[in-house]
Amino acid sequence: MSSFAKSKLKAARDAIGKKKYEQAREAAAQVLDYEPDNYTAHVFLGLALLELGQHEKSEQGIAKLYEQTDRWNDLADTLEHIMQIFAKNDDATKCAETLQKFVDIRRQHGTRREVIQALFLYLPDFYLYQVLSSLPPPDATNPTSTSIFPTQSAIHNPLAVYEELILLTEREEEMFIKFEFDKRRTRLGGPKPEQLRKDIGIEVWHSSKLPALYNDILNHPSTSDELRRATESKLIRYKQQLFLVLPSTDPEKRQVGTQLDEMVHGIVTIGIPDEFAWCIWLEGRDSDTVEGLGVAYLKQFIDLFPTSTLALMLKGYFAYSRTANGDEGSTEQLTLTTDSDPYDIILDAFSALPNSLLANMITARVHLQELEYIDATKVAESGLELVRRYESNTARELREVRKAFHVILATSFVHLFPPKHHPRALYFLNDVLKQDPTNVDGLMGKGYVFQHAEKWEEAELLFAQAARQLPNDMDKGLEAKEESAWCLSRMQVDAGADALGEVFETLKDIEDRDIDKARCLWRIGRCYWDLGGESREEAFKSFIASLKHNREYAPAYTSLGVYYSEHASPPDPTRASKCFQKAFELDAREAEAARRLAEGFADEREWDLVEVVARRTIDGEGGMGAGMDEGDGATSGKYLPTNAWAWKALGVVELTRRNYPESIRAFQVALRADIDDQLSWLRLGEAYSKAGRHVAALRALGRAHELQPDDWMCTYFIGEVQRQAGRLAEALASFQSILDVRPTETGVLLSVAQTHLDLARHERFTGFVARAEQSFISCVDVVLVALRESPGYRGVAWKIAADALFELSVITVFADEINVRTAVTVVCELIQNQSSARLAGLFKFTALSPDDSITGLNALEAAVAAYDYRITVGSSDEAALPSSLYDLAVALHEWVLKQPPDTAHQASEAANSFLIQALQKEPGNVKFWVALGDLHFAHKPKLSQHAYIKAIEVDNKDVVAWTKIGLLYSYHNDIDLATQAFTKAQTLDPDHTLAWIGQALIAIANGLETDARTLLEHAPMADLQFALRVLAAVNDSNTVRAPTTDSLLPAFFVLGRYFLRCPADACGLHVFGLICEHLGKLEQGVEYIDRAIILIEAAYEEKEDPIVERQFIIAHTNSLLPEDAERETQVLRVQAQYGSGLASFKMGDLQAAMTESADDDRVLRGQVTVLLAQTMWAIRTPEFRESAKGLLLDCITSDPENLMAINTLAGMGILTEDDGLVDAALSEILSLPVEQRHELDPRRDVTYLLVQHYLGLGDSARATKIAQKALHVEPSNLQMRREVASLLLRQGDRDAASAILASVAPNQNVAEEKTTLALSALAQPIQSQRSAQKAIMLEPSQLRNWQTLAYVRAQEAL
């Protein structure tokens, strides 16, 4: 800014301050002359002019300022103010100039709404018009002669302004509606989209200025006809929109509707080519026929809009129907020609007019006339929906249109696979007849419904009434007369035959009615057939005459087939079958012909042909969905089948093909037609059982049994299903009820035997060994009865008997030796001389004298012979041969394992040969490959691995194969592959016991004893291993914690279960005795160990095995071992000497108790020294206690790493509260590096002793500090975290304890969580009760958990 401008602006400011406005104006004007864009000068000038009263110049100055600074909204407001000033001063020219500038600014920089507001200023209704109307008319020949020509044109001829306003307003409302809809539709709880559009439409169209603008154009004298027609069309559309969205309760709706009707009627009356208005008029007419709309109007519509889709449809319809009724009731021939098929034209047009009522009515009628009933129903239902929508939107009823669609639906449902849709048809028929009792279509439709229901009297009355309505009509009238006569014939044969004859006399003279003539003659023939006797020959002639008129009339062929099969003399089944086949080929609805064909094919066991006939019959009645969408389950189950026999036949066919789901579906459909059909219930139950759906099978078979209690086959099926479902006792009861009536029924006897076998297996698995033994014997006894009663089924019978004996051989000690001996002896006597060449020289029966006890080996030998004999008696059954060879191989291999080593090589090779033969015949059987792998498990690992891999290739989801290959890898020390195999097996079946045992073996191999014990908890068959792991943990010499009853009881219980299965296992008895000793059950423990000694001694006398000898010595724990024995022997001798010394101590002989010898073995000497010190401490005299301390101090001095001695000495110091002794005991190990100390003390017993020591002294802070220090050294030790949390809780620091435990939770397993939850409940400020309850759920037998819950509840109640 120059100094000149600054000085002048200062002068202007000073002048304004002194109210010298003229000087200020001059100074500001001088600045603007020099700098036109100076903002401050403009402000000072405007202020000076305002104070001087020169308002116009003031506003103009401000406007110029706003224009230069691009402040368009402020400029527009200023210009509007200026216009008001000019208007007030009646200065039309300046007002017009300002208005033109205002409109230009709005056009260039304003919104569409602002432009609309600006343009409205030209109209007469606004305040500027009075001033602007004084302007002279524009000179069109010289538009540049004045600067206000646009304003003059707009004022004297505003038509262009109206058109622009309409265009802008329409676009603005359209965009506003779209924007509001997008904004509101996402609101929660908002209306549906359709209602939302209506709500927004009411808001917009109620206050819209478009109607006034439309009327202004229509009323303007300069409006052209073309513009007038376009504007009228827009106004109609606007009225239509508003009319549809207004609610029916709004009084304005009727007013708007009346206005709309007047406009539309006027357009149609004078024939204005406005297609939209014509469509509104056509859609709103209430007529039940297309012709009722007025043929003249329809032709005029076609002429006005020849290329519109609706016009094309009307052309096609008129071409299709050819004639229509005129306005005066006359019939005129329409000569509308088309190049294409009228039916195709109608369908093509309908695809583009789905929302047109007229298009739906035309299309539905054409479909009905073409007998396309399904399409007719769909289109008619769509039309009814449009009627409902129209009535809802307009609050006007279309009763006739609704009736028309009801007639179409009713007629379609009557004739669509009758009588399945007749209930729906009756609903519409009743509605039509209620509205129009003389409606011919309604009367005939209801008559057909009654006719199918064989309500002949009601049907005859309805058809007769319809015939009276059309006495001279040769189409529907004659049809009604024929149906009335047919119904009469079902009640009065003679009268009906005469009436049908009259109908035929009328039909004879009508051409192109051959199908009607054939039907009438066939019905006459049926009347003669019903009369019987000689009249049946007349019936035959009528049937022949019927076929002469129409050779494709199927019912006549069916009747001829019945004639040839039942009345002809002699009967001609060949010709009858041909007639039935012809009838069925022509019409799949000929159920009688189809049934007779199916019965004939079934007698010949041609199941494929039976299926073809049944399926085509089902298709003829509409299938599952009766012609509707079969994918809809609800629709499929809604209709009763017409031909239940076809569904039953299809069910039997699918049952024979083992396609059980389809068989079940077919029988279910058949039962919907006849709920009391016992055979269908029986077959349905059979299909359910074979599909594995046992509960459903029992229900179905139970229903069949209720309907026919004396059907033993039904009871047999019930028993079989009960057996498959594991309800074995109930199955035995069911089979026994049959045997009480039919005691020699072989199939039932074999089922009883199989049930006994299944029951025995279940009882043995659950630990009821004695019961299992009796059930096995019962199985064999029943099989022997079956063999005596019938020679059939011997292969199956010997299979069951062999299985029972094989399972019986697993039992080592029999509870009822007499029955077992009897069963085994009888079987051996039957087959002893029947041994085949397969077993020649391989094995012989062990001599069984009356004085010898029978063993499992005797039962196994009988099983091997029975399996061999099964192959002999069933050699003709190739299907069962692979299974027979497999059974023989497995049993023979089991027998080989019970023989002395290297004595049964030939038998082992034979077992291998049998398995290979089985695999050659059935290579896809997984069990065979697994058995081959088991056979070579130990000696040929490569072959075994190959067999298991082949089994996995056949079925990669077979859990047994994966487990067995995992055991193979584990046996041969391939831990990684074994782990992968066991993991896969557990993934496939988490309940597979052997996979858990395999994982436990891997854990043991990796030294993870705790994990192994946890895994064995999931394996019921690993009871002995689990107990051994528990006992090993209890006997750990390094632990300072005494075993608890809770840790020993699980082992006690599982060994009890194991003992029931294996009462003669010396190892199990020995472990059981040791567990009993720990639990304080000394007498019971002595009893078990004595029995173990007896069994081991007997085994040693039989084999003189050194391993058995060592077991015998361990059991006796005596000192008869030689001095030069191995290390294991030395350990045993030292343990025996200590046991002897402990016994002397208990007897009071202290001197003998002190005698011990550990030779020069440092480890043994250290352990014996600790035990000796503990014995001396137990004497409780000061001298002996001091001596015990001295022994331990000497032991630690000579062996500083003897943790057991250190812990024992520290424990003595804690008991005597001797801090010096505790420090002396623990100082050596505490001074070691952390890694070395942890290696010597893996259980962290030193830390535990120190914590307990200081807690005993009452110094909980010192104890906490020691535990925290240990945790700091080893933060991943979860047990130490729990210990620290417990100590913190004792001090009342719940927050710190909760923080410590919070890091434990994500990393702990279930076993650790049992211990953590109780502490968490005490530490957590919230949800403590939930943690306590979860702890109880995981371990309900733990008293501490219940105490925790009680404490937490008491705290929450405070």
Side-chain angles (χ1 to χ4, degrees), residues 1273-1287:
V1273 172
E1274 194 178 9
S1276 62
N1277 191 320
L1278 300 182
Q1279 176 60 34
M1280 187 56 62
R1281 283 187 174 273
R1282 287 190 286 268
E1283 187 70 28
V1284 172
S1286 178
L1287 292 170

PDB file of all heavy atoms in Angstrom, residues 1273-1287:
ATOM      1  N   VAL A1273      14.375 -66.462  40.208  1.00  0.00           N
ATOM      2  CA  VAL A1273      15.383 -67.270  39.510  1.00  0.00           C
ATOM      3  C   VAL A1273      14.722 -68.138  38.437  1.00  0.00           C
ATOM      4  O   VAL A1273      15.279 -68.348  37.355  1.00  0.00           O
ATOM      5  CB  VAL A1273      16.150 -68.137  40.533  1.00  0.00           C
ATOM      6  CG1 VAL A1273      17.072 -69.121  39.809  1.00  0.00           C
ATOM      7  CG2 VAL A1273      16.956 -67.260  41.471  1.00  0.00           C
ATOM      8  N   GLU A1274      13.524 -68.619  38.733  1.00  0.00           N
ATOM      9  CA  GLU A1274      12.836 -69.550  37.817  1.00  0.00           C
ATOM     10  C   GLU A1274      11.382 -69.107  37.651  1.00  0.00           C
ATOM     11  O   GLU A1274      10.467 -69.687  38.218  1.00  0.00           O
ATOM     12  CB  GLU A1274      12.905 -70.972  38.383  1.00  0.00           C
ATOM     13  CG  GLU A1274      12.524 -72.041  37.383  1.00  0.00           C
ATOM     14  CD  GLU A1274      12.666 -73.425  37.978  1.00  0.00           C
ATOM     15  OE1 GLU A1274      12.900 -73.534  39.200  1.00  0.00           O
ATOM     16  OE2 GLU A1274      12.539 -74.401  37.220  1.00  0.00           O
ATOM     17  N   PRO A1275      11.127 -68.051  36.856  1.00  0.00           N
ATOM     18  CA  PRO A1275       9.757 -67.504  36.750  1.00  0.00           C
ATOM     19  C   PRO A1275       8.778 -68.437  36.062  1.00  0.00           C
ATOM     20  O   PRO A1275       7.578 -68.239  36.164  1.00  0.00           O
ATOM     21  CB  PRO A1275       9.958 -66.220  35.944  1.00  0.00           C
ATOM     22  CG  PRO A1275      11.247 -66.406  35.223  1.00  0.00           C
ATOM     23  CD  PRO A1275      12.109 -67.270  36.092  1.00  0.00           C
ATOM     24  N   SER A1276       9.253 -69.442  35.337  1.00  0.00           N
ATOM     25  CA  SER A1276       8.327 -70.350  34.645  1.00  0.00           C
ATOM     26  C   SER A1276       7.829 -71.476  35.526  1.00  0.00           C
ATOM     27  O   SER A1276       7.001 -72.281  35.082  1.00  0.00           O
ATOM     28  CB  SER A1276       9.018 -70.952  33.412  1.00  0.00           C
ATOM     29  OG  SER A1276      10.154 -71.710  33.805  1.00  0.00           O
ATOM     30  N   ASN A1277       8.310 -71.553  36.770  1.00  0.00           N
ATOM     31  CA  ASN A1277       7.891 -72.630  37.679  1.00  0.00           C
ATOM     32  C   ASN A1277       6.493 -72.305  38.220  1.00  0.00           C
ATOM     33  O   ASN A1277       6.314 -71.442  39.080  1.00  0.00           O
ATOM     34  CB  ASN A1277       8.903 -72.752  38.829  1.00  0.00           C
ATOM     35  CG  ASN A1277       8.675 -74.006  39.645  1.00  0.00           C
ATOM     36  OD1 ASN A1277       7.553 -74.401  39.916  1.00  0.00           O
ATOM     37  ND2 ASN A1277       9.780 -74.635  40.047  1.00  0.00           N
ATOM     38  N   LEU A1278       5.497 -73.003  37.714  1.00  0.00           N
ATOM     39  CA  LEU A1278       4.104 -72.718  38.094  1.00  0.00           C
ATOM     40  C   LEU A1278       3.833 -73.079  39.551  1.00  0.00           C
ATOM     41  O   LEU A1278       3.076 -72.399  40.239  1.00  0.00           O
ATOM     42  CB  LEU A1278       3.160 -73.485  37.175  1.00  0.00           C
ATOM     43  CG  LEU A1278       3.280 -73.163  35.672  1.00  0.00           C
ATOM     44  CD1 LEU A1278       2.245 -73.953  34.877  1.00  0.00           C
ATOM     45  CD2 LEU A1278       3.099 -71.676  35.434  1.00  0.00           C
ATOM     46  N   GLN A1279       4.465 -74.170  40.021  1.00  0.00           N
ATOM     47  CA  GLN A1279       4.261 -74.556  41.419  1.00  0.00           C
ATOM     48  C   GLN A1279       4.800 -73.478  42.357  1.00  0.00           C
ATOM     49  O   GLN A1279       4.192 -73.160  43.387  1.00  0.00           O
ATOM     50  CB  GLN A1279       4.952 -75.908  41.688  1.00  0.00           C
ATOM     51  CG  GLN A1279       4.883 -76.371  43.129  1.00  0.00           C
ATOM     52  CD  GLN A1279       3.456 -76.541  43.610  1.00  0.00           C
ATOM     53  OE1 GLN A1279       2.595 -76.923  42.846  1.00  0.00           O
ATOM     54  NE2 GLN A1279       3.205 -76.262  44.881  1.00  0.00           N
ATOM     55  N   MET A1280       5.937 -72.889  41.990  1.00  0.00           N
ATOM     56  CA  MET A1280       6.508 -71.842  42.836  1.00  0.00           C
ATOM     57  C   MET A1280       5.622 -70.596  42.812  1.00  0.00           C
ATOM     58  O   MET A1280       5.477 -69.901  43.828  1.00  0.00           O
ATOM     59  CB  MET A1280       7.926 -71.510  42.345  1.00  0.00           C
ATOM     60  CG  MET A1280       8.669 -70.560  43.270  1.00  0.00           C
ATOM     61  SD  MET A1280       8.764 -71.168  44.987  1.00  0.00           S
ATOM     62  CE  MET A1280       9.707 -72.671  44.724  1.00  0.00           C
ATOM     63  N   ARG A1281       5.014 -70.300  41.668  1.00  0.00           N
ATOM     64  CA  ARG A1281       4.089 -69.165  41.612  1.00  0.00           C
ATOM     65  C   ARG A1281       2.909 -69.380  42.556  1.00  0.00           C
ATOM     66  O   ARG A1281       2.473 -68.468  43.262  1.00  0.00           O
ATOM     67  CB  ARG A1281       3.585 -68.960  40.181  1.00  0.00           C
ATOM     68  CG  ARG A1281       4.596 -68.292  39.270  1.00  0.00           C
ATOM     69  CD  ARG A1281       3.979 -67.960  37.915  1.00  0.00           C
ATOM     70  NE  ARG A1281       4.934 -67.193  37.117  1.00  0.00           N
ATOM     71  CZ  ARG A1281       5.064 -65.883  37.157  1.00  0.00           C
ATOM     72  NH1 ARG A1281       4.292 -65.189  37.973  1.00  0.00           N
ATOM     73  NH2 ARG A1281       5.957 -65.261  36.412  1.00  0.00           N
ATOM     74  N   ARG A1282       2.402 -70.571  42.554  1.00  0.00           N
ATOM     75  CA  ARG A1282       1.281 -70.849  43.457  1.00  0.00           C
ATOM     76  C   ARG A1282       1.721 -70.745  44.915  1.00  0.00           C
ATOM     77  O   ARG A1282       0.963 -70.280  45.784  1.00  0.00           O
ATOM     78  CB  ARG A1282       0.699 -72.226  43.144  1.00  0.00           C
ATOM     79  CG  ARG A1282      -0.099 -72.285  41.857  1.00  0.00           C
ATOM     80  CD  ARG A1282      -0.855 -73.590  41.721  1.00  0.00           C
ATOM     81  NE  ARG A1282       0.025 -74.683  41.394  1.00  0.00           N
ATOM     82  CZ  ARG A1282       0.302 -75.078  40.159  1.00  0.00           C
ATOM     83  NH1 ARG A1282      -0.250 -74.446  39.142  1.00  0.00           N
ATOM     84  NH2 ARG A1282       1.107 -76.089  39.937  1.00  0.00           N
ATOM     85  N   GLU A1283       2.959 -71.168  45.210  1.00  0.00           N
ATOM     86  CA  GLU A1283       3.471 -71.094  46.577  1.00  0.00           C
ATOM     87  C   GLU A1283       3.598 -69.637  47.019  1.00  0.00           C
ATOM     88  O   GLU A1283       3.207 -69.268  48.139  1.00  0.00           O
ATOM     89  CB  GLU A1283       4.824 -71.805  46.652  1.00  0.00           C
ATOM     90  CG  GLU A1283       5.391 -71.945  48.048  1.00  0.00           C
ATOM     91  CD  GLU A1283       4.607 -72.931  48.892  1.00  0.00           C
ATOM     92  OE1 GLU A1283       4.003 -73.859  48.310  1.00  0.00           O
ATOM     93  OE2 GLU A1283       4.587 -72.775  50.123  1.00  0.00           O
ATOM     94  N   VAL A1284       4.136 -68.802  46.123  1.00  0.00           N
ATOM     95  CA  VAL A1284       4.275 -67.376  46.456  1.00  0.00           C
ATOM     96  C   VAL A1284       2.902 -66.746  46.656  1.00  0.00           C
ATOM     97  O   VAL A1284       2.680 -65.960  47.587  1.00  0.00           O
ATOM     98  CB  VAL A1284       5.053 -66.652  45.338  1.00  0.00           C
ATOM     99  CG1 VAL A1284       5.028 -65.151  45.562  1.00  0.00           C
ATOM    100  CG2 VAL A1284       6.494 -67.152  45.277  1.00  0.00           C
ATOM    101  N   ALA A1285       1.948 -67.075  45.774  1.00  0.00           N
ATOM    102  CA  ALA A1285       0.596 -66.523  45.916  1.00  0.00           C
ATOM    103  C   ALA A1285      -0.032 -66.940  47.241  1.00  0.00           C
ATOM    104  O   ALA A1285      -0.693 -66.145  47.912  1.00  0.00           O
ATOM    105  CB  ALA A1285      -0.271 -66.980  44.743  1.00  0.00           C
ATOM    106  N   SER A1286       0.190 -68.188  47.638  1.00  0.00           N
ATOM    107  CA  SER A1286      -0.361 -68.668  48.914  1.00  0.00           C
ATOM    108  C   SER A1286       0.234 -67.893  50.090  1.00  0.00           C
ATOM    109  O   SER A1286      -0.477 -67.506  51.030  1.00  0.00           O
ATOM    110  CB  SER A1286      -0.100 -70.163  49.048  1.00  0.00           C
ATOM    111  OG  SER A1286      -0.568 -70.640  50.287  1.00  0.00           O
ATOM    112  N   LEU A1287       1.548 -67.659  50.031  1.00  0.00           N
ATOM    113  CA  LEU A1287       2.188 -66.917  51.118  1.00  0.00           C
ATOM    114  C   LEU A1287       1.697 -65.470  51.164  1.00  0.00           C
ATOM    115  O   LEU A1287       1.489 -64.894  52.237  1.00  0.00           O
ATOM    116  CB  LEU A1287       3.707 -66.955  50.929  1.00  0.00           C
ATOM    117  CG  LEU A1287       4.357 -68.342  51.118  1.00  0.00           C
ATOM    118  CD1 LEU A1287       5.809 -68.316  50.679  1.00  0.00           C
ATOM    119  CD2 LEU A1287       4.261 -68.796  52.575  1.00  0.00           C
TER     120      LEU A1287
END
